[in-house]
Amino acid sequence: MAMPISIENAEHYNWGDNCDGWHLVKSAALSVIQERVPPGCCEQLHKHEFAEQFFFVLNGQASLIVEAETHILNPQQGLHVPAGVVHQLCNYGEDDLVFIVTSTPPSHGDRVNQS
């Protein structure tokens, strides 16, 4: 039987510099993750060979760099990043950044870091 999912009962992991992730959906075809990024933290510049992603901000402000162009995302705003496109998400704000990232197919094992 299906059960409602939240960060209270989802699989949790840590990444980067004190960042959190919770797998809300983790299937062969779809990944939906809620993540928390503290102020001043960034992920490494990277791309995904096959996965396309949609980032949707719940709290805070995201600076999402896509192909060297910076997009500022406020709560209730999102941005689609196609497969193969170099991107980086940063939190330059004063509050925790909380967002949902949806990937299809799942992006784990599909990441290529850029220098």
Side-chain angles (χ1 to χ4, degrees), residues 5-27:
I5 191 84
S6 73
I7 63 171
E8 301 301 320
N9 61 0
E11 177 186 339
H12 173 261
Y13 64 95
N14 294 107
W15 62 275
D17 187 16
N18 199 30
C19 299
D20 292 291
W22 294 268
H23 289 282
L24 303 178
V25 176
K26 188 176 181 183
S27 75

Side-chain angles (χ1 to χ4, degrees), residues 14-56:
N14 294 107
W15 62 275
D17 187 16
N18 199 30
C19 299
D20 292 291
W22 294 268
H23 289 282
L24 303 178
V25 176
K26 188 176 181 183
S27 75
L30 177 66
S31 170
V32 179
I33 299 172
Q34 182 171 323
E35 294 191 344
R36 184 196 63 80
V37 178
C41 292
C42 290
E43 65 178 349
Q44 186 171 351
L45 189 67
H46 67 283
K47 67 179 180 178
H48 299 280
E49 291 292 324
F50 304 105
E52 60 181 295
Q53 297 184 301
F54 181 72
F55 295 83
F56 189 78

Side-chain angles (χ1 to χ4, degrees), residues 44-81:
Q44 186 171 351
L45 189 67
H46 67 283
K47 67 179 180 178
H48 299 280
E49 291 292 324
F50 304 105
E52 60 181 295
Q53 297 184 301
F54 181 72
F55 295 83
F56 189 78
V57 174
L58 300 175
N59 185 70
Q61 185 180 74
S63 294
L64 185 56
I65 302 163
V66 180
E67 297 268 311
E69 182 180 348
T70 301
H71 302 271
I72 303 300
L73 302 177
N74 293 301
Q76 303 303 304
Q77 292 181 323
L79 190 70
H80 173 241
V81 178

